[in-house]
Amino acid sequence: MALRSHRNGFGSVTKSLHWIVAALFIGVFAIGWYMDFLPLGMAKLEWMSRHKSLGVTILMLAVLRIIWRLSEPTPAALGTHAIERLAAKIGHLGLYGVMIAMPLTGWMMSSAANFPVSVFGLFTLPNLVAPDQGLFESLRTAHFVLSWVIVALVGGHVCAALKHHFIDRDATLRRMLPAFGGNNNADIGANTTAKENS
């Protein structure tokens, strides 16, 4: 499988970043909700530390993914309607936005609470803002709202992929799977061929 993406499919680097970030999003979201139910104590602080470390990892991978995407061609969209292609672009931009905004608000929230962010105990990030309880409360609200924005965007992303796979019967979902190479044009015309044969 090629490292870089091409007109008909995604490269292994893009696929790997996609699925790693997806798994991290699930993990950090689950930890975030779980730790909210814990009483204040060592256990909660440990889970908060894991949550922050994974959030910083997502931020670093998101920056890497944006740089990588800008450096390679993007496979042609398979949607047949202009409104679908526009919605896909807006959705992807939204996902990139929250991949940056969510960890940043968490980092700033910790700074405002005067709790430096330690990344897996390997290094500590500098505070982005001075300690400020009012700012902390505002950032906590923003962080919470962004968590639901992520749920909406990811839900829409998954529904769109399933729609392409089961209704349109094109290669949109398959070409993001690790085993799919997409080295020819056969899958691009799969939906058209299926309709012609039905």
Side-chain angles (χ1 to χ4, degrees), residues 4-185:
R4 297 175 63 81
S5 301
H6 47 82
R7 181 178 178 274
N8 299 331
F10 294 99
S12 58
V13 172
T14 294
K15 291 182 183 182
S16 297
L17 289 171
H18 176 274
W19 292 111
I20 290 171
V21 170
L24 288 173
F25 255 131
I26 294 171
V28 79
F29 193 85
I31 291 173
W33 281 102
Y34 172 70
M35 70 187 193
D36 279 346
F37 291 100
L38 294 175
L40 186 59
M42 286 304 300
K44 182 165 187 170
L45 293 175
E46 288 175 0
W47 281 109
M48 286 178 66
S49 179
R50 295 181 186 117
H51 179 80
K52 293 175 185 180
S53 295
L54 290 177
V56 172
T57 303
I58 289 174
L59 177 60
M60 293 187 295
L61 289 176
V63 172
L64 176 61
R65 187 174 179 189
I66 291 170
I67 293 172
W68 183 258
R69 176 159 186 175
L70 293 174
S71 72
E72 66 171 4
T74 301
L78 303 184
T80 56
H81 303 291
I83 189 67
E84 285 186 353
R85 295 193 292 273
L86 177 61
K89 287 183 180 180
I90 293 173
H92 282 112
L93 287 174
L95 285 169
Y96 283 121
V98 294
M99 281 192 288
I100 299 296
M102 189 71 172
L104 280 179
T105 55
W107 182 359
M108 292 172 68
M109 186 169 64
S110 288
S111 299
N114 201 23
F115 286 113
V117 178
S118 174
V119 183
F120 299 111
L122 300 175
F123 57 92
T124 300
L125 299 178
N127 286 340
L128 292 179
V129 297
D132 185 323
Q133 185 61 30
L135 179 59
F136 167 78
E137 295 295 339
S138 297
L139 289 166
R140 183 165 65 175
T141 299
H143 201 66
F144 177 78
V145 171
L146 282 171
S147 70
W148 286 107
V149 172
I150 289 173
V151 170
L153 288 171
V154 171
H157 187 69
V158 171
C159 288
L162 293 176
K163 184 257 186 186
H164 276 283
H165 189 72
F166 292 107
I167 298 177
D168 298 339
R169 297 183 180 180
D170 61 30
T172 297
L173 175 59
R174 291 195 305 278
R175 68 184 182 179
M176 186 52 80
L177 299 177
F180 182 75
N183 292 322
N184 54 54
N185 295 324

